Amino acid sequence: MKILYLFRLFYRELKTQEKRITLTIVALAWGTFSIVVLLSFGEGLNRQMMKSLHGLGEGICIVYGGQTSKPYKGLGKGRVIRLQEDDVELLKRRISGIGLISPENDRYRNNMTYGRKSLSERVIGVYPPFEDLRGYFPQRNGRFINDLDIKNKKRVVFLGTELKKRLFGEEEAVGKRILINRIPFLVIGVMMEKMQNSMYSGPDVDKAAIPFSTFQTIYGDKYLNRLIYKPKDISQSEIVKNDVYKLLSQKYKFDPTDKQALNFWDMIEEEKIMRNIFLGIEIFMGIIGGLTLVVAGVGVANIMYVSGKRRTKEIGIKMALGAKKRHVLLQFISEALIIAIIGGTAGLLLSFIVVELFKVLPLEGDAADILAHPVMSLKIMLLTAIILGVVGFLAGVFPARRAASSNPVEALRYE
Amino acid sequence: MIKMKKINKIYGTGASKVEALKNIDLEVKENEFVGLIGPSGSGKSTLMNIIGCLDVPSSGEYYFGGESVENFNHNQLAEIRNEKIGFVFQNFNLLPYATAYENVEIPMIFMGVKAKKRKSMALELLDSVGLAARATHKPGELSGGEMQRVALARALANNPSLILADEPTGNLDTKSGDEILAIFENLWKQGHTLVVITHNPNISARAQRIVKLIDGTIENNGK
Ligand SMILES: Nc1ncnc2c1ncn2[C@@H]1O[C@H](COP(=O)(O)OP(=O)(O)OP(=O)(O)O)[C@@H](O)[C@H]1O
Ligand SMILES: [Mg+2]
């Protein structure tokens, strides 16, 4: 009953003081909206960047051969060190910290034919763990290379997303046969779309992967182009890296302190740096969001304060007619509360709509990567709405409280 | 009804200090009709505000219904204003965004009168001052005399024993002034106590007693 009465009062105020109340609600909604949208897109961008960083593989380490720069046990410096396939077995057996490991060899400009279409493309030969190491995940109806393919030297191929499109267009590829350098291969899978912003020898979506054993029967490489592993525990990566270095230095007889005998590309290191950059961006967004919040807060507080102040005379009249402090406060508190709730909700709703709209917008290319994946944080949404609501509420109630505590004549004199 | 002893009211300090009221002794009995006159700035409104418990004196004693006002807290003063006093302001003080009957309802809201009853009583009061036809008009749509009558109807809302009016005919022509005067006489007959600030000789002629203020002091106490 009481609540209903307050709403009736508010409705009457709304009718009569439409402009003031609408303005306050709009200010509140806009403040909430700008902050939530700003932070949503910031967070979305951040996650997008993190994801594409992982496009090459999360926490992996890539090992290349090198050239010795120090003499060791009677051997001169300048010796070329090259990795071999049996290194994979050796490392897996001797270093327990290694989780996944695979060799990778590649060839450029292979003739690839399907039907009448003939292209010149890249082929890599790998082990099955390559799928997880490098994020070569198949689309629903396909699979990646497995142990049986390796064992039987099967002529099967896993196609990168873009390569498949070039070769097959929209047509289904899995189960079809293609010719690679005139040798028939069965397509067993097509890669899921992925974003990748760090790479070597071109984007993964342009490559075709075949079993390492099959690759060797065709090309017969003596050495590995590179070797990829991932530690079981990423926090132990430094130790594993040292173990790998030591083990290979024994096998290839070079000084374990010789930094140039092998080359490492350590994504873990890279990620640490990127994480700091992301942290920097997040702090920056936080500061901008905070400043926007302050600006919005000041705006809302100002409107509420001025309108609260403007109504001093009204308060004086009511007090002269017998309103007690609590009558005045109850009216102002409920009004400020209703305004805060409507404004905050409207702002949240508006940001929600805009964010959802961007998600379905048909954006292409880089703009899509940056804009099309905003992430709304419930915490930020509620925090923003609550802070603005409370600020507006206090700013609205404060002058009313003052007026209600003074003599009616003082309030009445206010024009 | 009310009794004042050595009431002083001082506004401001230092160079801008104004002694609006000096050593006022005043008594108003039940069902008296007192006219308060005096030149502009003599302190009439100031005195009226203190009588109406809208303001407090700087010093002196004020008894309302036998009780010292000093002993009342904020809420008790509000109750007195609400139940015992009807105030007609010099400048009406109507709420601009509320209709005539909504303005009349205000004192009843704080009294706790139910909405339905409130509205019918407000309409009745407006009718008694001859404004039934203007009930749903806002103050901006009313003439000065009509606003004055709305203010009067509002002052009567909780049937207060003491009615205070600050220049109720100040802005009105003779005819409207006479109408207001008739209402006052009627109220007086019904047993209300009236204190009316006025420059209108018709009203002061009808008052039982005239109190004349000059420079914050009472010059003449009694007719
Ligand atoms: N809030 C205030 N601050 C300072 N001085 C004031 C204040 N209110 C009134 N005064 C002064 O007190 C004196 C009495 O004022 P008051 O309003 O009581 O006069 P009045 O008799 O009602 O005059 P009028 O007939 O013009 O309405 C005046 O000199 C006025 O300037
Ligand atoms: Mg005056």
Side-chain angles (χ1 to χ4, degrees), chain A residues 97-127:
Chain A
I98 289 180
L100 300 168
I101 186 163
S102 168
E104 180 187 5
N105 274 24
D106 48 23
R107 276 289 187 292
Y108 290 64
R109 283 188 289 282
N110 300 280
N111 183 270
M112 232 171 257
T113 312
Y114 174 69
R116 291 194 172 171
K117 212 167 254 168
S118 198
L119 304 167
S120 173
E121 301 288 353
R122 255 164 244 176
V123 170
I124 58 172
V126 296
Y127 281 2

Side-chain angles (χ1 to χ4, degrees), chain A residues 16 314 319 321 324 404 407, chain B residues 54-55 74 79 81-82 97:
Chain A
T16 55
E314 175 191 331
M319 284 204 297
L321 298 174
K324 289 175 188 165
N407 270 341
Chain B
L54 295 174
D55 206 354
H74 219 269
E79 272 168 29
R81 289 194 296 266
N82 187 235
Y97 55 80

Side-chain angles (χ1 to χ4, degrees), chain A residues 67-339:
Chain A
Q67 201 170 19
T68 59
S69 64
K70 293 177 182 172
Y72 183 70
K73 287 190 175 166
L75 297 162
K77 60 179 183 176
R79 232 163 11 102
V80 174
I81 305 291
R82 287 201 180 105
L83 299 173
Q84 291 169 341
E85 191 182 354
D86 56 2
D87 294 348
V88 177
E89 259 318 296
L90 178 72
L91 289 171
K92 203 157 77 179
R93 219 176 47 237
R94 298 278 297 276
I95 300 174
S96 57
I98 289 180
L100 300 168
I101 186 163
S102 168
E104 180 187 5
N105 274 24
D106 48 23
R107 276 289 187 292
Y108 290 64
R109 283 188 289 282
N110 300 280
N111 183 270
M112 232 171 257
T113 312
Y114 174 69
R116 291 194 172 171
K117 212 167 254 168
S118 198
L119 304 167
S120 173
E121 301 288 353
R122 255 164 244 176
V123 170
I124 58 172
V126 296
Y127 281 2
F130 198 80
E131 173 180 359
D132 288 323
L133 280 167
R134 295 272 286 94
Y136 273 52
F137 300 115
Q139 289 176 12
R140 220 177 306 130
N141 55 353
R143 65 171 179 87
F144 194 67
I145 295 156
N146 61 24
D147 289 330
L148 218 60
D149 298 330
I150 298 282
K151 194 170 158 238
N152 298 332
K153 298 179 181 140
K154 278 196 185 158
R155 290 200 291 263
V156 291
V157 63
F158 180 89
L159 297 176
T161 328
E162 293 301 319
L163 173 57
K164 180 259 167 189
K165 278 184 198 154
R166 282 199 294 276
L167 211 51
F168 286 90
E170 290 306 306
E171 199 186 326
E172 177 62 59
V174 175
K176 304 273 162 63
R177 273 175 206 285
I178 62 170
L179 296 177
I180 301 176
N181 300 330
R182 308 239 170 90
I183 305 167
F185 273 79
L186 177 70
V187 178
I188 54 168
V190 176
M191 192 192 290
M192 278 202 297
E193 299 251 11
K194 73 167 179 177
M195 298 218 312
Q196 182 184 7
N197 65 0
S198 56
M199 58 189 74
Y200 52 85
S201 63
D204 295 340
V205 287
D206 288 335
K207 297 177 189 170
I210 62 174
F212 193 81
S213 51
T214 318
F215 188 92
Q216 287 298 66
T217 54
I218 300 169
Y219 298 106
D221 285 351
K222 200 170 167 204
Y223 302 108
L224 297 185
N225 289 127
R226 64 193 75 83
L227 186 156
I228 301 163
Y229 73 83
K230 182 177 178 173
K232 278 183 187 138
D233 178 355
I234 291 182
S235 65
Q236 301 293 306
S237 67
E238 214 44 47
I239 297 166
V240 173
K241 192 168 159 183
N242 281 336
D243 288 349
V244 169
Y245 220 91
K246 216 186 268 160
L247 190 59
L248 292 177
S249 78
Q250 281 165 15
K251 185 183 174 196
Y252 293 106
K253 297 192 176 55
F254 60 81
D255 187 337
T257 62
D258 188 345
K259 287 293 156 216
Q260 287 173 35
L262 293 175
N263 288 302
F264 275 78
W265 184 7
D266 190 348
M267 287 302 292
I268 299 156
E269 274 299 306
E270 195 150 309
E271 264 173 48
K272 259 188 218 151
I273 296 166
M274 286 304 281
R275 255 178 234 283
N276 281 337
I277 294 174
F278 291 151
L279 188 68
I281 295 175
E282 232 152 69
I283 291 172
F284 176 70
M285 297 294 292
I287 290 172
I288 291 185
L291 289 179
T292 314
L293 189 65
V294 169
V295 171
V298 168
V300 169
N302 185 40
I303 295 174
M304 288 295 270
Y305 183 81
V306 167
S307 66
K309 192 97 186 133
R310 253 204 219 126
R311 293 170 70 192
T312 303
K313 172 129 192 171
E314 175 191 331
I315 293 170
I317 294 173
K318 286 181 175 165
M319 284 204 297
L321 298 174
K324 289 175 188 165
K325 200 165 152 179
R326 67 181 144 88
H327 288 126
V328 175
L329 286 185
L330 195 65
Q331 188 199 339
F332 272 75
I333 287 172
S334 55
E335 249 181 68
L337 216 60
I338 294 172
I339 289 177

Side-chain angles (χ1 to χ4, degrees), chain B residues 63-160:
Chain B
Y63 298 92
F64 188 96
E67 280 234 44
S68 175
V69 167
E70 239 180 304
N71 296 332
F72 293 131
N73 65 25
H74 219 269
N75 279 347
Q76 286 169 319
L77 285 174
E79 272 168 29
I80 290 179
R81 289 194 296 266
N82 187 235
E83 299 166 12
K84 309 259 172 68
I85 299 170
F87 212 116
V88 183
F89 294 94
Q90 197 164 3
N91 52 355
F92 318 134
N93 279 338
L94 298 176
L95 289 185
Y97 55 80
T99 63
Y101 87 82
E102 283 169 340
N103 265 292
V104 177
E105 275 185 343
I106 299 170
M108 294 189 266
I109 294 177
F110 304 129
M111 178 87 127
V113 181
K114 290 252 173 354
K116 236 182 179 167
K117 193 172 175 211
R118 220 161 55 207
K119 187 165 178 183
S120 70
M121 280 171 69
L123 293 174
E124 220 172 279
L125 282 164
L126 282 175
D127 192 36
S128 75
V129 296
L131 270 183
R134 296 277 182 279
T136 56
H137 288 229
K138 290 191 181 157
E141 303 156 358
L142 298 173
S143 74
E146 287 168 337
M147 283 196 274
Q148 191 68 276
R149 280 185 280 167
V150 174
L152 189 54
R154 188 178 65 181
L156 302 176
N158 289 334
N159 196 27

Side-chain angles (χ1 to χ4, degrees), chain A residues 413, chain B residues 11 18 20 39-46 90 167 199:
Chain A
R413 206 174 292 125
Chain B
Y11 289 116
V18 178
S40 184
S42 57
K44 303 184 295 295
S45 296
T46 306
Q90 197 164 3
E167 301 243 25
H199 291 299

